[in-house]
Amino acid sequence: MAAIRLLSTDFDGTLIGHPSDGRCSPALAAALSDYKQAGGLWAVNTGRSRDHADEGLALFDAPVDPDFLLTNEREVFRRDDAGGWVDFGDWNRVCHERHAALFLKSAGIFDRILAHVEDSPDVTIIHDSGDPVGLVTTDEAVMEIVTERLHAVRTEFPDFNYQRNTIYLRFCHVDYHKGSALAELSRLLGLTRTDVLAAGDHYNDIPMLDGIHAAHVACPANAIPPVQEMITNVGGYIAKASWGDGIAEAIRYFHEGHAKQKPAAPESAAG
């Protein structure tokens, strides 16, 4: 596993399926154990909050623990001596400050979003401390309509963006996503993109699967078509199996050295 020093995996839809019992599959447990025994580092890069991620990981019950936790598609945490999570560097502080400034400056966009959805029973705005932080729709067809409207609205606010996964959407600064969080973690660890394998299944994973932040990329068979297209475009690996078994397959693929030479990083990030 010398070529892969850092493994960055999404959680929901990548390590565990829907529906499932939320537990680590035997194949993935074996692959993660072998990878960690060979000295590899593992980061769970998720859209979940830190507390929600901890709940999921406790149920997941993998034989090894992740070394890092990247949450809300933008925060970076490392293990402390007691086994908990603490900020890794100043990234989280700066991230929070930039989001607060963005949302204050972009207050008008929230008024437009609320006007679009306030009478819709299919869209619910998610608030945190009274502020809108995202939304949830009744199904993915409704989410398609919502994102089309957001594309039109956000043209006036180029720093305003969102991260989408199935029926959930989180508002964010355009500079913060799973890819930039992974890049910061790599920087803190002194690693380059050639040291990193990233794996995910949905829209919010695309920024870490575009070949810019990880030279080795993969997805399980259940990944949505845009993700599979991205993986193909950058010479990554699409597993034959779904969810955790597919990620085990991808880890073995790169571990056994079957991966071909990856192309240079694209000039700009996708998503």
Side-chain angles (χ1 to χ4, degrees), residues 20 110 144 148 165 176 211 217 222 229-230 252 261:
S20 76
F110 292 118
E144 289 291 340
E148 286 179 9
N165 186 355
Y176 291 86
V217 295
N222 59 280
E229 181 179 359
M230 174 64 72
R252 299 293 187 195
Q261 183 67 35

Side-chain angles (χ1 to χ4, degrees), residues 11 53 56 104 109 112 146 165 168 212 218 226-227 230 233 255 267:
F11 191 71
L104 180 63
I109 200 171
R112 296 193 189 185
V146 169
N165 186 355
Y168 300 97
I212 294 175
V227 167
M230 174 64 72
N233 289 343
H255 174 47
E267 292 183 359

Side-chain angles (χ1 to χ4, degrees), residues 185-201:
L185 175 59
S186 296
R187 185 191 71 81
L188 290 166
L189 295 173
L191 303 178
T192 69
R193 62 183 287 275
T194 59
D195 300 314
V196 183
L197 166 60
D201 75 297

Side-chain angles (χ1 to χ4, degrees), residues 75-184:
E75 299 164 335
V76 180
F77 297 97
R78 63 170 178 83
R79 289 280 186 189
D80 63 13
D81 293 338
W85 300 111
V86 294
D87 292 347
F88 197 177
D90 292 332
W91 176 267
N92 293 348
R93 176 185 60 79
V94 175
C95 172
H96 296 161
E97 290 173 354
R98 293 191 69 189
H99 276 85
L102 171 70
F103 292 158
L104 180 63
K105 183 176 71 173
S106 305
I109 200 171
F110 292 118
D111 294 335
R112 296 193 189 185
I113 293 170
L114 292 172
H116 277 308
V117 305
E118 63 183 354
D119 295 326
S120 174
D122 299 321
V123 183
T124 302
I125 298 292
I126 302 171
H127 291 82
D128 184 13
S129 301
D131 297 321
V133 295
L135 55 84
V136 57
T137 61
T138 52
D139 57 48
E140 293 198 58
V142 175
M143 181 61 77
E144 289 291 340
I145 297 172
V146 169
T147 54
E148 286 179 9
R149 291 176 176 174
L150 279 178
H151 276 301
V153 172
R154 68 175 293 268
T155 54
E156 298 180 32
F157 301 90
D159 288 341
F160 183 92
N161 202 12
Y162 62 85
Q163 296 298 323
R164 169 192 173 186
N165 186 355
T166 62
I167 62 172
Y168 300 97
L169 182 147
R170 176 180 288 105
F171 306 131
C172 66
H173 192 290
V174 70
D175 291 341
Y176 291 86
H177 44 70
K178 289 190 177 187
S180 59
L182 174 57
E184 174 64 5

Side-chain angles (χ1 to χ4, degrees), residues 238-260:
I238 300 175
K240 296 178 179 62
S242 295
W243 304 301
D245 286 349
I247 301 309
E249 183 183 322
I251 294 172
R252 299 293 187 195
Y253 174 83
F254 287 101
H255 174 47
E256 294 172 7
H258 295 310
K260 298 178 181 179

Side-chain angles (χ1 to χ4, degrees), residues 4 8 68 89 93 124 203 218 223 238 241 249 262:
I4 306 300
S8 173
F68 307 99
R93 176 185 60 79
T124 302
Y203 284 111
I238 300 175
E249 183 183 322
K262 297 295 177 290

